[in-house]
Amino acid sequence: MAEYLGKESCMIFSMGFATNSTTVPALASKGDLIISDSLNHASTVIGCRSSVAKIKVFQHNDIADLERVIRESIIEGQPKTHRPWKKIIIVVEGLYSMEGNISKIADIVKLKKKYKCYLYIDEAHSIGALGTYGRGVCEHWGVDPKDVDILMGTFTKSFAGVGGYIASDKHVIDYLRRKSFAQVYESSMSPGSVRQAFESLKIIMGKDGTDLGRKKILALKENSRFFRRRLKDLGFQVFGDDDSPIIPVMLYHPVKIPAFFRESLKRNLAVVVVCFPATPLTMGRVRFCISASHSRENLEWALKEIDEIGSKICIKYDR
């Protein structure tokens, strides 16, 4: 995994949620500052709150607001004493699971270098999905992985397994092996889960002797762009970036959420609807997660059914 990500070392966890929630507290201590994106995943939020570090939040994917928070924090220093922070850690996601947009990592890395901060990226949804070879958000933006201090990811999406990983410099991984609660108290990944992730990684890297991994990454990108474009053409309000395989379609009104789900179920269409508290009360949505295994016929059929549902429950807000 370290070789694939371009990092010195890597460690694995038996649960993706625990990867974030137990790693962040091990990295941030008293006198440190965590600057977190406002829409980070719950596992990251819990990890930040479990630490004894001070936490500040910047507006979602807003580089100008991130710089404002960093500058003000450096000027003001620690509460009461106003001493300099021991370290500042910027925590973001590579691909946001509810918004479908890609983090502006190239700009964040510039700020990180300018203000001498550390950068932690949650790549649960971007690893195996973004970049020419699926290496995630760094490859997508052409950023050197060495410029990112901590790369976190899970094996539950692109690797079709369970568990998670942290990749970083060797001395950081050695430290986390001793200090992370998950490494001390959790059970190890099962042999079957490890084998699943390992074989998936071999395919993605092309070490299985075929180009299947490369074909699947291309298919995922083509399917995502096609499905997103067609939804917009049909009049749905779609969030996220074009290359994102996560495609949120806005429902807004709470009543529309169960209505969409039930109409989909009648048509044998499996969907994920998202509502409060995962989103604000009036920002309910349905989230489509596209796969490389979806054929064009699968997607065309789904779009036909979604078109009918959209007309029936009146959610084509961009018409």
Side-chain angles (χ1 to χ4, degrees), residues 258-275:
F260 189 95
F261 179 80
R262 288 167 186 155
E263 288 297 325
S264 299
L265 189 61
K266 289 178 186 177
R267 294 165 167 80
N268 294 319
L269 183 65
V271 299
V272 175
V273 289
V274 188
C275 61

Side-chain angles (χ1 to χ4, degrees), residues 20-91:
N20 273 331
S21 63
T22 64
T23 297
V24 176
L27 293 170
S29 55
K30 187 176 181 180
D32 295 339
L33 172 66
I34 297 172
I35 302 179
S36 177
D37 188 284
S38 61
L39 295 183
N40 273 337
H41 190 264
S43 61
T44 306
V45 173
I46 288 173
C48 293
R49 290 176 178 174
S50 298
S51 73
V52 293
K54 174 71 175 175
I55 304 166
K56 293 189 179 182
V57 176
F58 68 96
Q59 294 176 19
H60 174 57
N61 222 10
D62 188 329
I63 302 303
D65 192 56
L66 172 59
E67 182 167 23
R68 177 191 64 79
V69 174
I70 295 172
R71 286 172 62 89
E72 288 180 359
S73 300
I74 291 173
I75 292 168
E76 294 170 0
Q78 297 183 43
K80 296 182 180 179
T81 66
H82 302 293
R83 291 175 180 171
W85 299 100
K86 292 180 180 178
K87 61 176 175 285
I88 299 175
I89 306 172
I90 303 168
V91 181

Side-chain angles (χ1 to χ4, degrees), residues 164-182:
Y165 67 82
I166 292 287
S168 186
D169 295 335
K170 187 178 183 302
H171 73 275
V172 176
I173 298 300
D174 290 343
Y175 169 82
L176 288 174
R177 289 190 199 280
R178 301 191 306 272
K179 296 294 184 179
S180 170
F181 288 123

Side-chain angles (χ1 to χ4, degrees), residues 290-309:
I290 303 303
S291 166
S293 297
H294 286 134
S295 67
R296 189 54 57 92
E297 290 75 22
N298 293 151
L299 299 178
E300 289 283 10
W301 172 80
L303 286 162
K304 176 178 174 295
E305 300 298 329
I306 294 165
D307 184 30
E308 292 178 5
I309 297 170

Side-chain angles (χ1 to χ4, degrees), residues 46-210:
I46 288 173
C48 293
R49 290 176 178 174
S50 298
S51 73
V52 293
K54 174 71 175 175
I55 304 166
K56 293 189 179 182
V57 176
F58 68 96
Q59 294 176 19
H60 174 57
N61 222 10
D62 188 329
I63 302 303
D65 192 56
L66 172 59
E67 182 167 23
R68 177 191 64 79
V69 174
I70 295 172
R71 286 172 62 89
E72 288 180 359
S73 300
I74 291 173
I75 292 168
E76 294 170 0
Q78 297 183 43
K80 296 182 180 179
T81 66
H82 302 293
R83 291 175 180 171
W85 299 100
K86 292 180 180 178
K87 61 176 175 285
I88 299 175
I89 306 172
I90 303 168
V91 181
V92 297
E93 293 185 30
L95 174 58
Y96 289 88
S97 60
M98 290 300 164
E99 308 302 313
N101 56 0
I102 302 168
S103 187
K104 301 170 184 176
I105 295 302
D107 294 329
I108 294 174
V109 166
K110 288 178 184 177
L111 289 184
K112 173 228 168 186
K113 291 180 175 180
K114 180 177 179 180
Y115 295 104
K116 295 180 172 54
C117 303
Y118 295 91
L119 179 57
Y120 181 111
I121 303 179
D122 175 350
E123 290 222 81
H125 291 86
S126 52
I127 191 66
L130 297 180
T132 306
Y133 298 98
R135 289 188 173 90
V137 72
C138 290
E139 187 175 52
H140 177 80
W141 291 116
V143 171
D144 188 342
K146 293 182 177 62
D147 290 334
V148 178
D149 302 284
I150 303 285
L151 285 171
M152 174 271 172
T154 67
F155 298 122
T156 56
K157 279 78 178 178
S158 297
F159 299 91
V162 296
Y165 67 82
I166 292 287
S168 186
D169 295 335
K170 187 178 183 302
H171 73 275
V172 176
I173 298 300
D174 290 343
Y175 169 82
L176 288 174
R177 289 190 199 280
R178 301 191 306 272
K179 296 294 184 179
S180 170
F181 288 123
Q183 290 295 297
V184 177
Y185 294 110
E186 75 172 3
S187 301
S188 300
M189 284 178 67
S190 68
S193 299
V194 174
R195 192 68 183 180
Q196 169 66 36
F198 180 70
E199 292 299 325
S200 297
L201 183 58
K202 280 175 62 178
I203 293 170
I204 293 172
M205 294 178 72
K207 290 195 172 185
D208 63 334
T210 72

